[in-house]
Amino acid sequence: VINETAFTIKQVELQKLEKLPDGTETDHPVPGAAFYLFSADGSQLGGSLTTDDLGMISLQLPAGSYYFEEVSPPPTFTFDLQDGERITKYPFAVPENGTETVTVTVYNRKLSGSLSIRKTVENADGQPLDEEQLAKDFTFSVAFSDNGKYSYRKSNGTVGELASGGALTLNHGETALFENIPAGV
């Protein structure tokens, strides 16, 4: 007797998408993430799999239980987190019945960093600054390569938001700190 369900082959797709540093899920594909495929008992099936330009890995598998294990996020990304722990294993099952594609949707978090802009004024002759020099405003144009809008905090306690190409004004000794700027911006 042959068990025909053991020969049921289904399309399986892993979809890798971007999650913003604040945890917001997007529909932006993440190419270049590396995975291995395992059966539920921990046996590795095949070699390394990498998401394509659409953030996809497509393959066909017989009915059973499996998991993808992420081994390497692409540059400017890190593993997704759950309760402060990084997520690397993504279990899924291929059912014996039905014809629908099995889709496993997973995320990588975009890395982020800070941008600090500080203005320092010095007299060429080394003399101390006078009150007029200390009070002088200096205006900077700040452009972000993603044309985004980011919040900042000045060292004097004021907060604001600046769109790409916007003007930022600082005095001597003043700093503006932008936090959570996505990597690559």
Side-chain angles (χ1 to χ4, degrees):
V1 176
I2 296 175
N3 180 354
E4 291 183 17
T5 59
F7 298 103
T8 302
I9 304 290
K10 292 206 178 166
Q11 185 71 24
V12 175
E13 295 179 347
L14 178 134
Q15 173 71 70
K16 177 61 92 168
L17 300 173
E18 176 182 335
K19 190 178 275 188
L20 300 179
D22 67 5
T24 303
E25 295 176 352
T26 74
D27 59 359
H28 303 134
V30 177
F35 290 84
Y36 287 107
L37 175 65
F38 294 88
S39 60
D41 68 5
S43 300
Q44 184 176 329
L45 304 173
S48 178
L49 304 166
T50 303
T51 56
D52 64 16
D53 289 344
L54 300 175
M56 301 285 292
I57 293 172
S58 296
L59 45 97
Q60 294 185 330
L61 292 171
S65 295
Y66 304 90
Y67 64 91
F68 286 107
E69 184 163 358
E70 187 170 11
V71 292
S72 178
T76 74
F77 287 91
T78 189
F79 296 97
D80 195 8
L81 299 174
Q82 183 174 11
D83 300 326
E85 298 291 320
R86 72 183 194 176
I87 304 169
T88 59
K89 288 187 180 181
Y90 300 95
F92 66 97
V94 176
E96 293 180 9
N97 301 319
T99 58
E100 60 281 340
T101 298
V102 175
T103 302
V104 181
T105 304
V106 298
Y107 294 90
N108 277 142
R109 286 184 184 253
K110 185 80 169 167
L111 291 171
S112 64
S114 299
L115 168 66
S116 178
I117 302 172
R118 179 178 173 83
K119 177 61 181 171
T120 302
V121 179
E122 295 178 356
N123 285 316
D125 62 5
Q127 293 297 312
L129 300 176
D130 61 33
E131 288 196 28
E132 184 180 329
Q133 290 172 311
L134 290 171
K136 181 168 176 50
D137 288 339
F138 293 88
T139 302
F140 300 87
S141 175
V142 181
F144 301 106
S145 61
D146 67 350
N147 293 316
K149 183 187 288 188
Y150 296 97
S151 299
Y152 65 88
R153 185 180 64 252
K154 286 186 177 181
S155 52
N156 67 7
T158 61
V159 295
E161 191 170 71
L162 189 67
S164 183
L168 175 68
T169 303
L170 299 173
N171 302 110
H172 167 71
E174 198 170 40
T175 301
L177 179 64
F178 294 82
E179 295 182 298
N180 295 319
I181 306 286
V185 172

